[in-house]
Structure formats: structure tokens, C-alpha cells
């Protein structure tokens, strides 16, 4: 038995991202809620209900994607967004790096200056195996060797598949995107990176 969150998750996901995640601080346009992206997120979440804890990103997706799995039910949409937004302390805008081998790509996706639309969902996993949150972003952020506020850098927030940079939390993809996952007791979170030589904005 499973269920999707609807209006409540729309409000809890979109409003905190607009107001509290850092877009306003950087004078960025608030993200607009997009039903097509929400449907895309729901479809992927529905396919993961039997194995939510293994965070897998949707393959060959034209969208950016933040994932979050929580074992306990006290995690809600606003807490998840705050968890992602708190990664700001790990991001160094001068070098475009997540400092000290931390993860900051969920935050940078939220504040990516060319991202305009968002759609999210929250599902209760089968067999009481926790809760899965999925957000899709269009156009996607975390473009390789680019920064969230513009500019090109020698460093990439999420390394491309061909990168020689080794990380135990990074997995490559045959579709030209990579995912980074961070896990701790009872929670796990993942985000994606994308190549710059693709045409985005399909919503």
C-alpha cells in the first residue's frame, strides 16, 4: 500500500525553496511549480517503491534531480528542503567545490541561476521501508564545470562520468549524467550532474 502527497507537498516543497533555500538571498527568480515535472517525479518514485532506500536516479533524464530517503516518518517536505539548503555551508563559490569532501550539490541545484521550474513528490515506500522524496528541476543545474551563479571553473560540483576524480559516493551513468549520494543513519540523499553540451528546457 502506498500513497502520494499532493497539495500539501506542493506547498511545503515550493514555498520553502522559494523563500528559505537561498534563491531570494541571491536575487534569483522563485522557482515555478510545474505539473509536468511533478508527474515525472511521481512516475519515477512509483517505480522505486519496493527499493526506496537504494537511491537510483531516473536514467537519461533531461531534468535535474534531488532525491531524499528517510526511514523515520517525522521527516517532511520542509525538513528535506532545509536539509538540502543547509549544504550552503559546504559550498565554496570561489573554487566551485564542496569543501572537505562534503556534498553540496542539492543546494547548488536549488539555487542554480538558470533553473526556472520544479516539480516534486513524496511517497510512502512499500513494507514500511521509509519515505522517498523526489524533486525534478528544469532546466537542470549542476552543469559540469559551471557554477550555480554563472561562470566556468576547473572544478565541477558533480564530476562527469569520464572524470578521473575518485569518490566513494559517486556513480557514473551511461546517459551522460552522474549522481552523488550521501548516507547517514536513517537517511540518504542524492543529486545529479549534467553535461553542458545538451539542449535543456523541455518542460
Amino acid at each position: 500500500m502506498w500513497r502520494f502527497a499532493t497539495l500539501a507537498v506542493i506547498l511545503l516543497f515550493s514555498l520553502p525553496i522559494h523563500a528559505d533555500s537561498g534563491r531570494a538571498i541571491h536575487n534569483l527568480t522563485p522557482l515555478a511549480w510545474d505539473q509536468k515535472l511533478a508527474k515525472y517525479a511521481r512516475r519515477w518514485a512509483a517505480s522505486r517503491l519496493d527499493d526506496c532506500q537504494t537511491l537510483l536516479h531516473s536514467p537519461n533524464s533531461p531534468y535535474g534531480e534531488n532525491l531524499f530517503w528517510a526511514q523515520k516518518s517525522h521527516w517532511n517536505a520542509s525538513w528535506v528542503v532545509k536539509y538540502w539548503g543547509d549544504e550552503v555551508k559546504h559550498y565554496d563559490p570561489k573554487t566551485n567545490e564542496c569543501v572537505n569532501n562534503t556534498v553540496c550539490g542539492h543546494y547548488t541545484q536549488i539555487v542554480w541561476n538558470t533553473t526556472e521550474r520544479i516539480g516534486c513528490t513524496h511517497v510512502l515506500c512499500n513494507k514500511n521501508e521509509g519515505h522517498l522524496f523526489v524533486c525534478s528541476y528544469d532546466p537542470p543545474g549542476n552543469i559540469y564545470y559551471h557554477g550555480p551563479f554563472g561562470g566556468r571553473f576547473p572544478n565541477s560540483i558533480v564530476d562527469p562520468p569520464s572524470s578521473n576524480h575518485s569518490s566513494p559516493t559517486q556513480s557514473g551513468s551511461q546517459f551522460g549524467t552522474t549522481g552523488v549520494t550521501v548516507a547517514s543513519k536513517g537517511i540518504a540523499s542524492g543529486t545529479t550532474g549534467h553535461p553542458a553540451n545538451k539542449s535543456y528546457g523541455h518542460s
Side-chain angles (χ1 to χ4, degrees), residues 19-59:
D20 300 332
S21 66
R23 291 189 70 88
I25 294 173
H26 296 285
N27 296 315
L28 297 172
T29 303
L31 298 177
W33 185 262
D34 188 289
Q35 283 296 107
K36 181 179 179 181
L37 292 175
K39 183 178 180 180
Y40 187 92
R42 284 196 299 271
R43 187 165 58 244
W44 180 245
S47 74
R48 302 298 307 149
L49 289 174
D50 290 326
D51 191 18
C52 289
Q53 189 172 354
T54 303
L55 286 185
L56 293 179
H57 288 282
S58 52

Side-chain angles (χ1 to χ4, degrees), residues 13 66-70 75-77 80 121-122 131-135:
F13 261 122
N66 279 354
L67 304 178
F68 187 91
W69 170 84
W75 282 92
N76 58 39
V80 171
T121 196
H122 162 213
H131 299 254
L132 179 64
F133 299 82
V134 181
C135 274

Side-chain angles (χ1 to χ4, degrees), residues 9-24:
V9 78
I10 291 174
L11 295 174
L12 286 171
F13 261 122
S14 61
L15 294 181
I17 286 176
H18 293 175
D20 300 332
S21 66
R23 291 189 70 88

Side-chain angles (χ1 to χ4, degrees), residues 59-97:
N60 205 24
S61 173
Y63 308 124
E65 187 172 75
N66 279 354
L67 304 178
F68 187 91
W69 170 84
Q71 188 175 40
K72 301 294 185 180
S73 60
H74 68 269
W75 282 92
N76 58 39
S78 59
W79 282 27
V80 171
V81 174
K82 183 180 185 304
Y83 179 89
W84 289 337
D86 283 348
E87 290 179 359
V88 61
K89 62 181 178 286
H90 301 313
Y91 177 64
D92 185 345
K94 294 181 180 179
T95 62
N96 198 47
E97 290 180 296

Side-chain angles (χ1 to χ4, degrees), residues 10 16 21-22 35 44 56 64 83 98-99 107-108 112 123 160 169 172-173 176 187 194 198 201:
I10 291 174
S21 66
Q35 283 296 107
W44 180 245
L56 293 179
Y83 179 89
C98 306
V99 298
Y107 161 74
T108 53
W112 203 267
V123 298
T169 60
S173 166
I187 63 171
H194 295 263
K198 293 183 70 174

